[in-house]
Amino acid sequence: MRRLTFSSTSPKMDEEVLLKLETKSLEVLAEALDTLEAGFVDLPAFDSEPDLARLRTVLRDVAEKMRDNFPYFHPYYAGQMLKPPHPVARLAYMLALWINPNNHAFDGGRASSFMEKEAVAEIAKLFGWKTFLGHLTSGGTMANLEALWIAGQLKPGRKILASDQAHYTHQRISAVLGLRFESVPCDAKAKMDIDSLIQVLERGEVGTVVATAGTTGTGAVDPLPEILELRERYDFRLHVDAAYGGYFVLADNLEAGTRKAYDCLTQADSIVVDPHKHGLQPFGCGCVLYRDPTVGRFYRHDSPYTYFTSSELHLGEISLECSRAGASAVALWATQKMLPYLPGGEFARSLGKCRQAALILFERISGDPRFRMIFPPELDILVFASNGQKASEISARSERFFEAAAAENLHIAKFRYPAALLRGVWKDVDLDQPQVVCLRSCLMKPEHKDWADRLWEILDRTAGRIN
Ligand SMILES: *Cc1c(COP(=O)(O)O)cnc(C)c1O
């Protein structure tokens, strides 16, 4: 059995250094607020002093309540898709709240609307799009809803397809939009199975194929080159849900096949990317992009209340949501200034580190007979399980492992994986359940790479405890 040698700090030393939340940057916020204030000096003063004593009491209560959370900001949190916002995003968002702009229209948020247009153009540039239509949304669900709504307008009465590992939102959104939906089975690597896709396409009536670039469950990237070839033959619209994986287009350590798929994104008809997933943004920031800007015609509407202050296109005229946090755009814009989306740049390298973290842990776990792997991580999501001879035994052990790791302060997630996809992979396992409970870890923090040894140490200890 593989044994670990430690080069980094021992857990004991960790305990001696107490955790401190980063607050130094608040000084920078105070300075920036002075700058903001200077822009409004021609207004008469008005009294807005809060009751500091009450504020202190309430805020202390809030802080106490907020302790009831997993430590999402810490490298020991390696469970769901939660990544701490960059300090610049946090500060820019807060700074914007003194104005509280609404990016529905220039009437409610002028500077932040322009910042949104610039920030969205940076995301489009990731996929080589210079002319496009796009805007921020409150998240990936809303962004996908808009993309499928446009898809339905362009291919009325036709079906939407997505793999059975695609985000559940596509099926639900299709129902909301009154569009028919069919799910396409996956292959042993949790990617859309091309033969199955062809079978569904042959039956006809398909309007749109939703490919996922980085599934929420395993981080698998659907085979875009093959799907694009089929688009030539079957004339469907290709929407790529890259809510989670979109930014990995910048990573320089993808497998060749994955890189090829990412290079195809430029040929998609629409793409969704969530800056609040891997883009270092606070929640409330998704983005939808259309390669053909003329789809803006479907959004056309008039509003009796807004769109007065400028003849330039208001964001509300090209989005379904009305009020939207201008602060989200400000935070994203500021983050892009601090960490530009450049190949080889700091932002790109930090994505590469996340993937490296997943690869390091994959290597450790796959060399240990107490665990079972399915396939290597394609991005930075690692799926594994406690070992056993039967699916039911693997599920029960993985459940126990999840609890035991949490008791050690290591927070991973659980994932119900279809046994059908394991048939050719876990040949020696009696698949006595339709779904196997696996363990899932989103290694979304670049720090996870440097902490990989420490994470492994806990996994190792936990495995010893539950077996
Ligand atoms: C997270 C996610 C979504 C949903 O996005 P929200 O921002 O949570 O609404 C959709 N698709 C994929 C692939 C995702 O990872």
Side-chain angles (χ1 to χ4, degrees), residues 126 246-252 259 340-344 347-349 351:
L126 289 173
Y247 282 109
F248 276 94
V249 71
L250 278 173
D252 64 1
R259 170 48 58 194
Y341 297 162
L342 297 171
F347 181 75
R349 285 201 312 275
L351 289 163

Side-chain angles (χ1 to χ4, degrees), residues 81 139-141 144 167 169-170 212 214 216 241 243-244 274 276-277:
M81 289 178 173
T141 301
N144 276 306
H167 198 279
T169 199
H170 298 288
T212 307
T216 315
D241 180 0
Y244 179 69
D274 266 0
H276 71 202
K277 290 269 178 70

